[in-house]
Amino acid sequence: MNLASLIGRDLVTVGLVPLILAFTILISALSVVYVTHESRQLIAKQEKLLMQRETYDVEWRNQILEENSLAEHSRIERLAETELKMQRPSVDNEIVIH
């Protein structure tokens, strides 16, 4: 008789309680391993998303700075004069409508 069949026969003859307990312990251990693995994956994903958020936050701040510099009044006035050849109207060219 081999060892596996001897152990199996002893578990059945002694009772099912030790077998059920052993099975429960095995399932519990595997569950702990699975939950730990899932937790580590979620923590890694969270870390990656936090870094991505930081990158987007820096990019957003840079866009705000660029928008402010492009909307600066003196820059717009200079572009209007140089590229569009615009001039301020003289007093003679002004028409006031009441």
Side-chain angles (χ1 to χ4, degrees), residues 8-30:
R9 192 183 63 174
D10 283 348
L11 285 175
V12 172
T13 58
V14 172
L16 291 178
V17 173
L19 182 63
I20 292 172
L21 289 176
F23 185 71
T24 305
I25 290 170
L26 179 65
I27 294 298
S28 175
L30 290 174

Short mmCIF file of all heavy atoms in Angstrom, two decimals, residues 8-30:
data_model
loop_
_atom_site.label_atom_id
_atom_site.label_comp_id
_atom_site.label_asym_id
_atom_site.label_seq_id
_atom_site.Cartn_x
_atom_site.Cartn_y
_atom_site.Cartn_z
N GLY A 8 -4.92 8.91 2.92
CA GLY A 8 -6.34 9.11 2.56
C GLY A 8 -7.26 8.24 3.39
O GLY A 8 -8.30 8.70 3.86
N ARG A 9 -6.91 6.95 3.59
CA ARG A 9 -7.74 6.05 4.40
C ARG A 9 -7.79 6.49 5.85
O ARG A 9 -8.84 6.47 6.49
CB ARG A 9 -7.21 4.62 4.30
CG ARG A 9 -8.19 3.59 4.87
CD ARG A 9 -7.60 2.25 4.82
NE ARG A 9 -6.39 2.34 5.71
CZ ARG A 9 -5.65 1.32 6.02
NH1 ARG A 9 -5.90 0.15 5.53
NH2 ARG A 9 -4.61 1.47 6.81
N ASP A 10 -6.65 6.97 6.38
CA ASP A 10 -6.62 7.44 7.76
C ASP A 10 -7.49 8.68 7.95
O ASP A 10 -8.16 8.83 8.97
CB ASP A 10 -5.19 7.74 8.21
CG ASP A 10 -4.39 6.49 8.54
OD1 ASP A 10 -5.02 5.42 8.65
OD2 ASP A 10 -3.16 6.61 8.68
N LEU A 11 -7.45 9.60 6.97
CA LEU A 11 -8.27 10.82 7.07
C LEU A 11 -9.76 10.47 7.08
O LEU A 11 -10.53 11.06 7.82
CB LEU A 11 -7.95 11.78 5.93
CG LEU A 11 -6.63 12.55 6.04
CD1 LEU A 11 -6.40 13.36 4.79
CD2 LEU A 11 -6.63 13.45 7.26
N VAL A 12 -10.16 9.51 6.26
CA VAL A 12 -11.57 9.13 6.20
C VAL A 12 -11.98 8.37 7.46
O VAL A 12 -13.06 8.58 8.00
CB VAL A 12 -11.85 8.30 4.93
CG1 VAL A 12 -13.25 7.73 4.92
CG2 VAL A 12 -11.62 9.16 3.69
N THR A 13 -11.12 7.48 7.97
CA THR A 13 -11.48 6.68 9.15
C THR A 13 -11.46 7.51 10.43
O THR A 13 -12.29 7.33 11.31
CB THR A 13 -10.54 5.47 9.32
OG1 THR A 13 -9.20 5.94 9.42
CG2 THR A 13 -10.69 4.50 8.19
N VAL A 14 -10.54 8.46 10.54
CA VAL A 14 -10.46 9.29 11.74
C VAL A 14 -11.62 10.29 11.74
O VAL A 14 -12.16 10.61 12.80
CB VAL A 14 -9.10 10.00 11.81
CG1 VAL A 14 -9.07 11.01 12.94
CG2 VAL A 14 -7.99 8.99 11.96
N GLY A 15 -11.96 10.77 10.59
CA GLY A 15 -13.07 11.72 10.49
C GLY A 15 -12.80 12.75 9.42
O GLY A 15 -11.67 12.91 8.95
N LEU A 16 -13.84 13.41 9.07
CA LEU A 16 -13.72 14.41 8.01
C LEU A 16 -13.28 15.77 8.55
O LEU A 16 -12.90 16.64 7.78
CB LEU A 16 -15.06 14.56 7.29
CG LEU A 16 -15.47 13.37 6.44
CD1 LEU A 16 -16.83 13.61 5.82
CD2 LEU A 16 -14.45 13.10 5.35
N VAL A 17 -13.31 15.96 9.85
CA VAL A 17 -12.97 17.26 10.43
C VAL A 17 -11.54 17.67 10.08
O VAL A 17 -11.31 18.78 9.60
CB VAL A 17 -13.20 17.27 11.95
CG1 VAL A 17 -12.70 18.55 12.58
CG2 VAL A 17 -14.67 17.07 12.25
N PRO A 18 -10.53 16.82 10.26
CA PRO A 18 -9.17 17.23 9.89
C PRO A 18 -9.04 17.50 8.38
O PRO A 18 -8.33 18.43 7.97
CB PRO A 18 -8.29 16.06 10.30
CG PRO A 18 -9.07 15.32 11.31
CD PRO A 18 -10.50 15.54 10.96
N LEU A 19 -9.74 16.74 7.57
CA LEU A 19 -9.69 16.94 6.13
C LEU A 19 -10.31 18.29 5.75
O LEU A 19 -9.74 19.04 4.94
CB LEU A 19 -10.41 15.80 5.41
CG LEU A 19 -10.41 15.85 3.88
CD1 LEU A 19 -8.98 15.76 3.37
CD2 LEU A 19 -11.26 14.73 3.32
N ILE A 20 -11.44 18.58 6.35
CA ILE A 20 -12.10 19.86 6.08
C ILE A 20 -11.23 21.02 6.56
O ILE A 20 -11.10 22.04 5.88
CB ILE A 20 -13.50 19.89 6.72
CG1 ILE A 20 -14.41 18.89 5.99
CG2 ILE A 20 -14.09 21.28 6.67
CD1 ILE A 20 -15.75 18.69 6.65
N LEU A 21 -10.63 20.88 7.74
CA LEU A 21 -9.76 21.92 8.26
C LEU A 21 -8.53 22.14 7.37
O LEU A 21 -8.13 23.27 7.11
CB LEU A 21 -9.32 21.60 9.69
CG LEU A 21 -10.41 21.73 10.76
CD1 LEU A 21 -9.85 21.27 12.11
CD2 LEU A 21 -10.93 23.13 10.85
N ALA A 22 -7.94 21.05 6.90
CA ALA A 22 -6.77 21.17 6.02
C ALA A 22 -7.16 21.86 4.71
O ALA A 22 -6.43 22.72 4.20
CB ALA A 22 -6.19 19.79 5.74
N PHE A 23 -8.31 21.47 4.17
CA PHE A 23 -8.78 22.09 2.94
C PHE A 23 -9.07 23.58 3.16
O PHE A 23 -8.73 24.42 2.32
CB PHE A 23 -10.04 21.36 2.43
CG PHE A 23 -10.53 21.85 1.11
CD1 PHE A 23 -9.82 21.59 -0.05
CD2 PHE A 23 -11.68 22.61 1.03
CE1 PHE A 23 -10.26 22.05 -1.28
CE2 PHE A 23 -12.14 23.09 -0.18
CZ PHE A 23 -11.43 22.80 -1.34
N THR A 24 -9.67 23.91 4.28
CA THR A 24 -9.97 25.31 4.61
C THR A 24 -8.69 26.13 4.76
O THR A 24 -8.60 27.27 4.29
CB THR A 24 -10.80 25.38 5.90
OG1 THR A 24 -11.97 24.58 5.75
CG2 THR A 24 -11.21 26.80 6.20
N ILE A 25 -7.68 25.55 5.40
CA ILE A 25 -6.40 26.23 5.56
C ILE A 25 -5.75 26.47 4.20
O ILE A 25 -5.21 27.55 3.94
CB ILE A 25 -5.47 25.43 6.49
CG1 ILE A 25 -6.00 25.50 7.92
CG2 ILE A 25 -4.04 25.95 6.42
CD1 ILE A 25 -5.30 24.57 8.88
N LEU A 26 -5.82 25.50 3.33
CA LEU A 26 -5.25 25.64 1.98
C LEU A 26 -5.96 26.74 1.20
O LEU A 26 -5.31 27.60 0.58
CB LEU A 26 -5.33 24.31 1.23
CG LEU A 26 -4.78 24.32 -0.19
CD1 LEU A 26 -3.29 24.58 -0.17
CD2 LEU A 26 -5.10 23.02 -0.88
N ILE A 27 -7.28 26.75 1.25
CA ILE A 27 -8.05 27.78 0.55
C ILE A 27 -7.74 29.16 1.14
O ILE A 27 -7.56 30.15 0.41
CB ILE A 27 -9.56 27.47 0.63
CG1 ILE A 27 -9.89 26.20 -0.13
CG2 ILE A 27 -10.38 28.64 0.11
CD1 ILE A 27 -9.60 26.26 -1.61
N SER A 28 -7.63 29.23 2.46
CA SER A 28 -7.32 30.50 3.11
C SER A 28 -5.94 31.01 2.69
O SER A 28 -5.77 32.19 2.41
CB SER A 28 -7.38 30.32 4.63
OG SER A 28 -6.98 31.49 5.28
N ALA A 29 -4.96 30.13 2.66
CA ALA A 29 -3.60 30.53 2.26
C ALA A 29 -3.57 31.02 0.82
O ALA A 29 -2.94 32.04 0.51
CB ALA A 29 -2.65 29.36 2.45
N LEU A 30 -4.26 30.31 -0.06
CA LEU A 30 -4.31 30.73 -1.46
C LEU A 30 -5.04 32.07 -1.60
O LEU A 30 -4.66 32.91 -2.42
CB LEU A 30 -4.97 29.66 -2.32
CG LEU A 30 -4.14 28.37 -2.51
CD1 LEU A 30 -4.96 27.33 -3.27
CD2 LEU A 30 -2.85 28.66 -3.21
#
